[in-house]
Amino acid sequence: MPVTQSKLEPMLIDGELTESTSASRIPVYDPSTEEVIVEVADASTAEVDAAIAAARRAFDEGGWPQTTAQERGRILFRIADKIRAEAAVLAELESRNSGKPIVEAEFDMADAATCFEYYGGLATKISGTVNPVPDNALSLSMKEPVGVAGQIIPWNYPLLMAAWKLAPALAAGCTCVLKPAEQTPLTALKLAGWLGKCGVPPGVVNIVTGLGETAGAHIVAHPQVDKIAFTGSAAVGKIIMKSAADTLKRVTLELGGKSPNIFFADADFEAAIDGALFGVFINQGEVCSAGSRILVERSIYPKFVDAMTEKARAIKLGPPLDRATKMGPLVSREQFERVRQYQAIGRSEAKVAIGGGQPKSFARGYYVEPTIFYDVDNSARIAREEIFGPVAAVIPFDKESDAVRIANDSPFGLAAAVWSRDIYRALRMVRAIRAGIVWVNHMQPTYVEAPWGGYKQSGFGRELGVHGIDEYLETKQVHINLNEQPIGWY
Ligand code: NAP
Ligand code: MG
C-alpha cells in the first residue's frame, strides 16, 4: 500500500516528542481505503525502558505525587479544554483511522474531554479516614498513588480509552506509560504533543507505540512498573495476568463480553427494536459491551425479528467521514477477516435474517454487512464467542427464568440490558444477572460518573467514577501514639 505521507509519528518519552530509532515500523491504515495514512514506531526495548525510567523518575524524584491536588486538577482541566478546542481535528483523525462514523467520533471526543474534567474535579476529593481504634492513638488511613502505571488500550475507542486510563491515574498522582493499539495510535499521539503545554511535567505521561507482544509485554513484565491497566481481549488479559504475577503487579482488566440484550413482550416495541439495533451495531459492533445476544420472549419473537431486519436494512454503510454514515468499515483487515469467519460460522449454525456477507457496493475498505442471525442456540459459537463486529445472534426464550439462565450461561459478564414495562420483573432481572452493568429500557449509555467493569471473564477492577480512581491508590495506615509514657512491657 502506498504511504501517502512518508512520515514517522513521534512518541512521547520524558516530555520530549521522540523520533524512534527502531528499525521496525508499524503502518497505520485508513480502513475505508486500505491505504497507509502514516507510520509509527515499533518501539525498541530500549525506548520502552526509557519511557518507564522517565515515569519512574517523575514519580520518585520529579515531585508529581507531591504536586497539590488543586494543581493536578487544573492540569486535567487544561487537557479537557484542549481536547474540546481541537475536537474537530481529533474526531476527523479518529474517524479516518478507526473507521467509525464521524458523528460517533465527535461524541467520543466530548466524552474524552468530560473524563479529564471529571477526574480534574475528583483530584481534590481524594481523602482518607480516621479509624476509631480502641487506644489513646490517632489512627489514619491515607490514600497514596500506586506509582508507575502501565496502560495498554485497544482500538475501538482510541482516545476515549486513553482518557479513561490517563485521567484517573494523573488525578491520583501516578505517572504513566501508555501503549495505544497498533491499529489506532494517532489521536493519543496528537494528545501527546499537547500535554507539556497543558502543564504535565516531563516523564509524568509517556506514550509509546509498538506491538503488544513486544512493547506491551515488556511494560507488563517490567519490575519498575507498579500497576497494569488493560483493556482488550480476554485472551491477552490472561497472558497479562500471568506475566504480571512474576512481579506481583496490581492488575485491572477490562475485557470483552457477549452481552445479553433481553426483550420481554410487554416492552415498548418501537423502543425495543431501536435498542436492539443500537445495542449491537453502534461503532460497527466493535464494542466490548455490544448487546450481541438478543434474547426475545417467544410471543413477540417472529414479529421482533422481522421488525429488526426491516430497520437494519436502512442502516447506511459508508465512508466514515460522510456525516450521513451510520456504519463504517471495520478497523483492520485482521478484524474484517475475523468477522467474515464468524459470518460463515453463523450461516452454518443458525438462520440468516439479514446480511451475513460483504456489501457489494464498496470496491475497497473493510466493510461487512450488518448481520442478524436468528433461531440461535445459546451453545452456538456465535452466541458464546466475542465477535467484535456487527453480528447479532437472536435467541428466543419462553419464561423469565429461561431468560435469566440463558443470559448467565456465558463465560463473560460485562453488561446486559432488560426491556420491560413491568418494574417488578425488570428489578428481578437486574438482581439475577451476573454482569458489571445492567441497563433497563436502554443499552450502551456510559457515563464517567458511574463505575464500569466486568464480572467473570470480562475482567476485574472498575474504571470510571470514584471507583476508577481507587484502582490507582494505595491505602496507608498511620498510627500515631498519643501516650507520652513508655509502653512499660519490659
Ligand atoms: P488485544 O489483542 O487484546 O489488544 C489490546 C491491546 O493489548 C493492544 O494494545 C495490544 O497490542 C496489546 N497486547 C496484545 N498482546 C499483548 C501482550 N502479550 N502483552 C501486552 N499487551 C498486549 O485486542 P485486539 O487485537 O485489539 O483485538 C482482538 C480482540 O480483542 C477483538 O476482536 C475483541 O474480541 C477484543 N477486544 C475487546 C475490547 C474491549 O474493549 N473489551 C477492545 C478491543 C478488542 P497490539 O496493538 O499489538 O495489538
Ligand atoms: Mg492486536
Side-chain angles (χ1 to χ4, degrees), residues 431-455:
R431 283 170 69 143
I433 289 170
R434 306 264 306 145
I437 180 168
V438 182
W439 285 283
V440 176
N441 295 328
H442 213 325
M443 192 175 208
Q444 296 312 355
T446 304
Y447 303 95
V448 66
E449 294 83 358
W452 183 262
Y455 282 24

Side-chain angles (χ1 to χ4, degrees), residues 93-177:
L93 196 57
E94 195 84 302
S95 173
R96 191 167 170 224
N97 183 194
S98 69
K100 71 173 67 201
I102 181 73
V103 178
E104 292 185 31
E106 286 166 358
F107 279 112
D108 294 356
M109 299 307 112
D111 281 354
T114 304
C115 182
F116 281 102
E117 274 160 6
Y118 176 85
Y119 284 105
L122 200 60
T124 52
K125 282 88 190 166
I126 301 167
S127 56
T129 47
V130 179
N131 308 307
V133 294
D135 216 334
N136 187 24
L138 185 60
S139 173
L140 307 175
S141 296
M142 276 169 49
K143 293 289 180 186
E144 296 188 337
V146 163
V148 173
Q151 306 180 311
I152 299 172
I153 57 174
W155 42 255
N156 56 343
Y157 288 89
L159 189 72
L160 187 57
M161 290 299 107
W164 283 24
K165 297 281 181 278
L166 294 173
L170 296 176
C174 291
T175 59
C176 305
V177 178

Side-chain angles (χ1 to χ4, degrees), residues 409-465:
D409 177 15
S410 169
F412 295 110
L414 184 59
V418 180
W419 299 71
S420 170
R421 284 194 174 109
D422 177 345
I423 188 72
Y424 298 98
R425 171 151 59 197
L427 293 179
R428 280 195 302 272
M429 293 296 290
V430 164
R431 283 170 69 143
I433 289 170
R434 306 264 306 145
I437 180 168
V438 182
W439 285 283
V440 176
N441 295 328
H442 213 325
M443 192 175 208
Q444 296 312 355
T446 304
Y447 303 95
V448 66
E449 294 83 358
W452 183 262
Y455 282 24
K456 301 197 270 182
Q457 290 194 30
S458 294
F460 51 82
R462 289 293 175 269
E463 293 193 299
L464 306 185

Side-chain angles (χ1 to χ4, degrees), residues 155 179 181-183 211-213 233 236 334:
W155 42 255
K179 191 201 86 65
E182 70 191 271
Q183 299 85 350
L211 298 179
E213 293 76 2
S233 60
V236 173
E334 188 188 354

Side-chain angles (χ1 to χ4, degrees), residues 26 151-157 161 179-184 210-220 230-237 239-240 243 254-257 286-289 331 334-335 338-339 386-389 414 452 458:
I26 303 169
Q151 306 180 311
I152 299 172
I153 57 174
W155 42 255
N156 56 343
Y157 288 89
M161 290 299 107
K179 191 201 86 65
E182 70 191 271
Q183 299 85 350
T184 56
L211 298 179
E213 293 76 2
T214 51
H218 192 59
I219 295 170
V220 176
F230 171 75
T231 300
S233 60
V236 173
I239 294 170
I240 286 180
S243 166
E254 301 283 344
L255 309 176
E286 296 164 321
V287 181
C288 51
S289 56
V331 72
E334 188 188 354
Q335 193 61 15
R338 189 184 145 90
V339 172
E386 187 179 43
I387 299 173
F388 232 64
L414 184 59
W452 183 262
S458 294

Side-chain angles (χ1 to χ4, degrees), residues 11 13 42-54 177 208-210 214-216 218-219 222:
M11 308 186 286
I13 299 177
D42 178 14
S44 66
T45 303
E47 287 165 339
V48 178
D49 281 340
I52 294 170
V177 178
V208 292
T209 52
T214 51
H218 192 59
I219 295 170
H222 204 290

